[in-house]
Amino acid sequence: MIRTEEMVKVFRTDEVETTALNHVNIEIKKGEFLAIMGPSGCGKSTLLNIIGLLDNPSGGKLWFDGAEISKYRENQRTNLRKGNIGFVFQSFNLIDELNVFENVELPLLYLKIRSSERKKRVNEALERMQISHRRKHFPQQLSGGQQQRVAVARAVVAKPKLILADEPTGNLDSANGEEVMKLLEQLNNDGTTIVMVTHSPAHADRAHRIVNLFDGSVVTESIKKST
């Protein structure tokens, strides 16, 4: 589903050049649950942003569903991202002015899906994440665990092929973190490909495979369980 070949990402300012990714080669298969680990500043989020088509690499190649897309322009990346990729962030990234239903509905508005279908999909996603009873509440009226459930519902409402989760349990206590991990596992069992950045060895151990980064390079890979 995703493949990188000698992928490089360099950030430049007038005075300094920083190599965030250094000739990274990884392959992520359809239906896989991959965990990416490593110390802060090792390139984990940069890699996730490029895989998620939020940024282009500085060098090397990137394939998504068989197409080589490393040179795509921003509008091309945006069009490919719509409906194909869902995001779950550590900080939830919900819109305070929108209620739960409206936050989850937002990706479907971008896809120009008709109203009746939007309502059906949002209600299904909220039921699946067991947060439908809060559909009219606003983010500030929810607990951290509830906000992350809403964020996961928003990520899955367009039925994407791929979900990218950047420290999805980082702002949660252990009980709510466990609930989010169960939700991700359920989505993966239903066929969704999951790529998760995490600092938690216990959560990484729930994935099929772990990739460890250090100074922008893949240093180890380990298979945790059969796919």
Side-chain angles (χ1 to χ4, degrees):
M1 184 179 194
I2 297 167
R3 182 163 63 92
T4 73
E5 182 181 304
E6 298 296 320
M7 194 168 70
V8 173
K9 182 63 179 180
V10 178
F11 295 102
R12 295 182 176 90
T13 67
D14 291 339
E15 298 177 357
V16 67
E17 180 178 289
T18 303
T19 300
L21 296 174
N22 187 17
H23 300 284
V24 171
N25 296 288
I26 61 170
E27 184 171 359
I28 302 165
K29 297 178 180 178
K30 183 179 180 181
E32 188 173 16
F33 188 165
L34 176 72
I36 301 173
M37 297 192 73
S40 296
C42 72
K44 302 186 300 296
S45 293
T46 299
L47 178 59
L48 209 66
N49 285 341
I50 292 176
I51 290 173
L53 311 181
L54 297 173
D55 199 1
N56 273 346
S58 305
K61 295 181 178 180
L62 171 67
W63 280 267
F64 185 91
D65 260 359
E68 208 281 292
I69 61 170
S70 56
K71 299 293 193 297
Y72 269 28
R73 296 184 300 275
E74 184 175 353
N75 66 319
Q76 291 176 298
R77 295 199 311 269
T78 299
N79 289 333
L80 183 56
R81 197 165 58 237
K82 287 179 182 177
N84 284 315
I85 303 175
F87 296 88
V88 180
F89 301 97
Q90 177 178 349
S91 56
F92 317 134
N93 282 17
L94 301 177
I95 298 174
D96 289 339
E97 294 76 20
L98 301 181
N99 64 28
V100 165
F101 186 97
E102 292 165 339
N103 265 283
V104 176
E105 183 185 32
L106 202 56
L108 304 181
L109 291 172
Y110 292 138
L111 290 170
K112 299 180 179 178
I113 292 174
R114 57 192 175 90
S115 176
S116 59
E117 179 66 15
R118 291 201 309 270
K119 183 176 180 180
K120 176 175 176 287
R121 288 203 195 183
V122 172
N123 285 331
E124 286 175 351
L126 293 176
E127 287 286 347
R128 189 176 189 184
M129 298 304 134
Q130 299 176 17
I131 195 68
S132 59
H133 61 296
R134 300 287 190 183
R135 72 182 70 230
K136 294 189 181 298
H137 286 68
F138 290 86
Q140 61 268 28
Q141 297 175 302
L142 306 177
S143 69
Q146 289 171 334
Q147 288 188 62
Q148 196 60 299
R149 283 178 177 272
V150 176
V152 174
R154 182 184 58 189
V156 304
V157 71
K159 302 178 181 177
K161 301 175 183 178
L162 172 67
I163 288 181
L164 303 179
D166 194 354
E167 294 283 359
T169 63
N171 282 340
L172 303 177
D173 60 33
S174 58
N176 281 308
E178 175 64 19
E179 286 301 312
V180 169
M181 287 306 303
K182 287 180 178 178
L183 291 174
L184 293 176
E185 285 183 312
Q186 179 186 351
L187 292 168
N188 180 244
N189 289 337
D190 291 342
T192 305
T193 305
I194 309 281
V195 180
M196 175 182 69
V197 164
T198 183
H199 278 106
S200 168
H203 291 165
D205 202 50
R206 310 277 277 272
H208 301 149
R209 184 162 55 103
I210 300 173
V211 169
N212 282 281
L213 294 182
F214 187 77
D215 286 348
S217 298
V218 175
V219 289
T220 61
E221 290 190 44
S222 57
I223 297 174
K224 302 307 296 181
K225 59 183 179 181
S226 60
T227 58

